[in-house]
Amino acid sequence: MDKNNPEMGEHYLIQLAEFFRVAISHNKQFAATLQEELSVCKNYLEMQQIRFGAAMDWELVVENTEQLKGHINVPIIFCTAYNDYAIEAFKVNGIEYILKPFSKESLEKAISKFENLKKLLADDIVHQYEAAMKALSTYQLKDNGTHIKYRDRFLPISFDKIALFYLENEINHLYTHSGKIYSIPENLEELERQVSTTFFRVNRQFLVNRNAIRDATEHFPRKLKVNLKFPFSKDIIVSKEKKSPLLEWLVIANE
């Protein structure tokens, strides 16, 4: 590198800083995109050309540039002439540590190792997802329900028997499908956390069971009115902010 050229020295330092920045970020990754890796290679070769000048000439050729537009991931494989950092390399998610001289066989072996790890991890994720969905399904089906106040006692009632919860005169009530009304100790915020997705918090006063809804109609201005399957003395109005979420919920519930 020409020590009498300060601009070249500044450019080298910028390239070196970028190289270290990318290297540090890759330390936390299992793989990187092909485009990222080609950018690192180009950066590194430009630094070497600054160091060695005319003694080094290079050209980076990509046969299929369309691949760069996608998200093709490649494993992070350390290729070096030094064995001092092998343990550290695996601590930072390196797939393989290849010492010079490199060979086609050593690279193929490293990539094969990466493909096997991907398959194992993918299978594990599938099992975790299935276990989580099963647990969620079990939780929702369990449906412990709440308690109703009857005279001086609190009696249990399951959520599937409840048409809606509502707040009136600062007292929380539940209304059953059979038309009975009970006061309850929980507030609507607590109940919203307990119930399954078959209930929807329509507004501050109402938490309604999907099975109790006949339909929803337009209500001026840009609101909805929820119509129940049974006579109910109070209007249940949905604000314009909750209009879209409610309609989406009704569609999902019908699927």
Side-chain angles (χ1 to χ4, degrees):
M1 181 166 59
D2 187 355
K3 297 179 180 179
N4 297 319
N5 190 335
E7 290 185 0
M8 185 177 293
E10 182 180 353
H11 180 64
Y12 181 84
L13 289 175
I14 292 173
Q15 296 287 90
L16 184 63
E18 176 63 16
F19 181 81
F20 281 129
R21 184 192 68 80
V22 174
I24 291 170
S25 67
H26 280 187
N27 283 350
K28 301 175 183 179
Q29 299 175 209
F30 181 67
T33 66
L34 180 58
Q35 189 168 13
E36 287 174 336
E37 284 302 289
L38 288 174
S39 178
V40 171
C41 291
K42 182 181 178 182
N43 189 15
Y44 178 77
L45 291 171
E46 287 177 350
M47 286 194 299
Q48 298 308 309
Q49 190 168 43
I50 292 173
R51 288 181 60 196
F52 298 109
M56 179 179 177
D57 189 23
W58 62 272
E59 182 182 8
L60 188 61
V61 178
V62 180
E63 294 181 356
N64 186 357
T65 56
E66 288 297 317
Q67 291 182 342
L68 299 181
K69 297 179 181 179
H71 297 283
I72 299 174
N73 289 330
V74 292
I76 297 174
I77 299 172
F78 292 85
C79 299
T80 177
Y82 307 98
N83 61 5
D84 308 57
Y85 308 106
I87 295 177
E88 293 299 319
F90 287 109
K91 284 183 179 180
V92 293
N93 297 330
I95 300 300
E96 190 60 275
Y97 195 89
I98 303 177
L99 291 171
K100 288 183 178 178
F102 312 143
S103 67
K104 181 181 178 182
E105 289 73 20
S106 61
L107 289 171
E108 286 178 344
K109 182 179 179 181
I111 293 172
S112 176
K113 178 180 178 181
F114 172 69
E115 294 296 335
N116 289 334
L117 283 171
K118 274 204 312 183
K119 185 178 184 304
L120 288 172
L121 289 173
D123 291 344
D124 185 54
I125 290 171
V126 170
H127 291 321
Q128 290 183 39
Y129 173 78
E130 290 176 347
M133 293 304 294
K134 183 177 180 181
L136 180 61
S137 174
T138 302
Y139 171 78
Q140 291 183 345
L141 290 174
K142 190 175 180 180
D143 194 6
N144 289 326
T146 185
H147 296 82
I148 59 175
K149 186 177 182 180
Y150 181 71
R151 295 179 181 175
D152 59 343
R153 293 181 296 166
F154 288 101
L155 306 176
I157 183 171
S158 61
F159 288 132
D160 61 354
K161 298 184 183 300
I162 301 170
L164 66 137
F165 299 94
Y166 65 95
L167 175 66
E168 185 178 40
N169 299 324
E170 302 303 320
I171 298 174
N172 295 290
H173 303 81
L174 69 79
Y175 191 101
T176 69
H177 289 287
S178 60
K180 295 180 180 179
I181 303 174
Y182 300 95
S183 62
I184 52 175
E186 299 98 329
N187 60 43
L188 296 189
E189 285 72 23
E190 293 172 329
L191 290 165
E192 190 176 8
R193 290 192 293 268
Q194 295 176 31
V195 297
S196 67
T197 54
T198 55
F199 283 81
F200 188 88
R201 183 72 179 272
V202 175
N203 54 38
R204 193 180 70 86
Q205 290 181 282
F206 292 95
L207 180 63
V208 185
N209 189 333
R210 173 63 187 86
N211 296 325
I213 298 175
R214 184 180 75 241
D215 56 31
T217 53
E218 290 288 347
H219 185 78
F220 181 83
R222 293 186 296 169
K223 297 180 180 180
L224 285 178
K225 179 181 178 183
V226 173
N227 302 306
L228 303 178
K229 295 179 179 179
F230 46 81
F232 192 67
S233 59
K234 301 170 181 59
D235 288 338
I236 303 176
I237 307 301
V238 183
S239 67
K240 60 182 180 181
E241 291 78 17
K242 285 204 171 186
K243 179 178 178 180
S244 293
L246 174 72
L247 293 175
E248 291 176 5
W249 174 72
L250 290 174
V251 170
I252 293 172
N254 280 328
E255 290 180 349

